[in-house]
Amino acid sequence: MRASSAFDGRGRSIPDATIVVQGGKIVSVEAGRSGPATYDLRGRTLLPGLVDTHVHIDTHFGKDGRATSDGETPQQSMLYSVENAYVTLMAGFTTVQSIGSPSDVDLRAAIARGIVPGPRLLTSISPVTENSGTSDQIRAFVRKMKADGADLVKLFASKSSREGGGQTMTDAQIQAACGEAKAVGLRSWVHAHSPSSVRAATLAGCTTVTHGSQVTDAELTLMRDRGTYFEPNIGLVSQNYLENKSRYFGIGNFNEEGFAFTEKGIPMKREMFKRALTVSGLKLLMGTDAGAGAHGRSAEEIIYLVQVAGQPARDALRDATSLNAQSLNLADRIGSIADGFEADLIAVDGDPLQDITALRRVVFVMKGGKVYKNIARGTR
Ligand SMILES: [Zn+2]
């Protein structure tokens, strides 16, 4: 295939790129060629398939329009998950990490069979919380998640941002979960808002910290020093809750107090992210926390990071591709346009390095060498 430009996922642009795909893999990448190609994407920019490290693929608005699956059959719930997987892939996300639901395991298997269109799916299945018991009980739970097919272990180490975000799991519980995850070869991924919960997770050697809405420069620097991945989500999740307030209101902690925290959190998280950008060497992941109403819109997070929070587009796109892949231990398979990588390739109308909103115009999606979307026919 050929495009006016390709962004390789690592920071480099390849002008007049020609990419040859065979057997589901990229076999060559060349610049400056012309002539016929199977897929002529002139006027478009090729990118590695985007990666979202944080979605809730099972969440949806049910038959009454509310953000709950109460009263649904398991079959109805699963079909909503299939729809979410489809719109996520069509939006250019070829790999997502679901945090996490037991139903993800069957969805992951169905997508992997190659008929149902969806992104490569990773899942944490069920989380470790402050109610998971003693250190020994937590270690046993982690081993059970591994046996059930989890790709990672999720920890709920602090309260929800709608309840103030204070630390919930003890330091010992966090150490047990992340330590055992490492011992059985799983990554650990920690929901943490407050400074103390972020610090505990980082010092326990957990792989990734998400949210971190209340962190100070000390925690940002600590994560950098320890090599902990940090996944803030500042541009889609809270905004989506507010846009769909009536669909969420009255469910769990989605009450007036919770929504007040959400509104206050938007500028707070933006300022936190701007500080994070100044911490050189901090590994910033692009994860959206997409729930009901946000599936298929994950790119809005990247657009917000660039347009509102001031992250350079090249860095934001690198984070959402090669760095995200690295955080999933998939850096040698996905997230880059390079020889030997999976042919996960998307094309957008325009150049996202100049105009990041080009990510809203995904015209071509290939995953593992198979084309799932192509509305790029003809030239501009
Ligand atoms: Zn989440």
Side-chain angles (χ1 to χ4, degrees):
M1 70 187 69
R2 180 159 303 131
S4 297
S5 179
F7 176 78
D8 73 350
R10 300 166 180 175
R12 197 169 68 100
S13 293
I14 305 155
D16 295 316
T18 298
I19 297 170
V20 178
V21 170
Q22 264 169 19
K25 298 264 174 22
I26 296 168
V27 294
S28 81
V29 183
E30 282 183 59
R33 286 257 304 265
S34 59
T38 311
Y39 298 103
D40 188 334
L41 300 164
R42 264 173 279 175
R44 278 86 184 203
T45 304
L46 274 168
L47 304 157
L50 301 170
V51 180
D52 188 343
T53 54
H54 186 170
V55 302
H56 300 273
I57 201 80
D58 62 323
T59 56
H60 58 272
F61 298 132
K63 50 182 186 279
D64 58 357
R66 301 270 291 161
T68 166
S69 44
D70 287 355
E72 281 170 12
T73 65
Q75 293 87 335
Q76 288 169 331
S77 300
M78 179 56 90
L79 286 166
Y80 283 115
S81 297
V82 170
E83 291 174 2
N84 290 340
Y86 177 76
V87 298
T88 300
L89 181 65
M90 291 302 111
F93 286 78
T94 52
T95 301
V96 300
Q97 177 162 268
S98 182
I99 310 292
S101 158
S103 66
D104 293 347
V105 175
D106 288 335
L107 180 64
R108 181 181 63 186
I111 293 169
R113 286 197 292 273
I115 308 295
V116 168
R120 297 173 194 283
L121 190 65
L122 307 172
T123 179
S124 60
I125 308 183
S126 300
V128 182
T129 73
E130 76 272 23
N131 300 318
S132 298
T134 64
S135 295
D136 278 345
Q137 287 169 321
I138 286 173
R139 283 190 277 265
F141 179 85
V142 168
R143 290 194 295 274
K144 178 172 179 347
M145 285 299 107
K146 167 87 174 175
D148 289 351
D151 299 290
L152 72 153
V153 176
K154 188 251 170 98
L155 283 71
F156 242 117
S158 85
K159 287 192 172 179
S160 161
S161 59
R162 289 179 296 282
E163 297 170 2
Q167 183 170 345
T168 49
M169 290 176 70
T170 66
D171 289 8
Q173 286 179 314
I174 295 169
Q175 287 158 10
C178 292
E180 190 67 10
K182 195 175 207 169
V184 299
L186 293 180
R187 295 172 290 111
S188 48
W189 188 98
V190 186
H191 162 113
H193 285 282
S194 69
S196 80
S197 56
V198 171
R199 212 175 306 123
T202 305
L203 292 173
C206 307
T207 317
T208 298
V209 168
T210 188
H211 303 309
S213 56
Q214 303 163 8
V215 293
T216 69
D217 292 353
E219 286 77 43
L220 292 169
T221 308
L222 183 66
M223 286 190 278
R224 188 269 311 276
D225 292 346
R226 299 284 172 132
T228 311
Y229 293 102
F230 179 41
E231 183 219 87
N233 8 74
I234 67 169
L236 177 61
V237 58
S238 300
Q239 290 83 350
N240 178 62
Y241 290 144
L242 293 171
E243 285 161 23
N244 291 290
K245 186 171 176 180
S246 64
R247 293 164 175 262
Y248 280 95
F249 195 86
I251 300 168
N253 55 23
F254 288 98
N255 48 32
E256 283 301 351
E257 194 192 7
F259 273 104
F261 273 121
T262 299
E263 271 186 59
K264 231 173 45 190
I266 290 175
M268 192 171 94
K269 292 198 281 186
R270 189 170 60 237
E271 292 317 305
M272 176 277 293
F273 184 79
K274 286 182 177 175
R275 280 187 287 116
L277 284 179
T278 68
V279 179
S280 154
L282 177 61
K283 295 186 282 191
L284 285 170
L285 304 183
M286 198 301 292
T288 61
D289 199 4
H295 299 295
R297 298 200 291 135
S298 288
E300 293 303 319
E301 176 80 17
I302 308 172
I303 293 167
Y304 186 94
L305 295 177
V306 173
Q307 283 194 329
V308 182
Q311 187 177 29
R314 197 172 288 275
D315 296 352
L317 291 170
R318 179 204 57 209
D319 293 353
T321 53
S322 64
L323 187 68
N324 271 1
Q326 184 195 103
S327 82
L328 304 176
N329 289 340
L330 295 173
D332 56 349
R333 279 186 60 202
I334 62 164
S336 297
I337 298 180
D339 294 5
F341 275 64
E342 299 283 347
D344 290 2
L345 297 161
I346 67 166
V348 299
D349 197 359
D351 180 359
L353 294 170
Q354 305 299 323
D355 170 16
I356 196 68
T357 66
L359 296 180
R360 291 184 185 135
R361 301 186 294 277
V362 173
V363 295
F364 181 89
V365 176
M366 173 185 275
K367 190 189 77 173
K370 182 171 171 180
V371 176
Y372 287 88
K373 179 180 189 177
N374 183 10
I375 53 169
R377 292 177 187 91
T379 55
R380 298 170 74 220

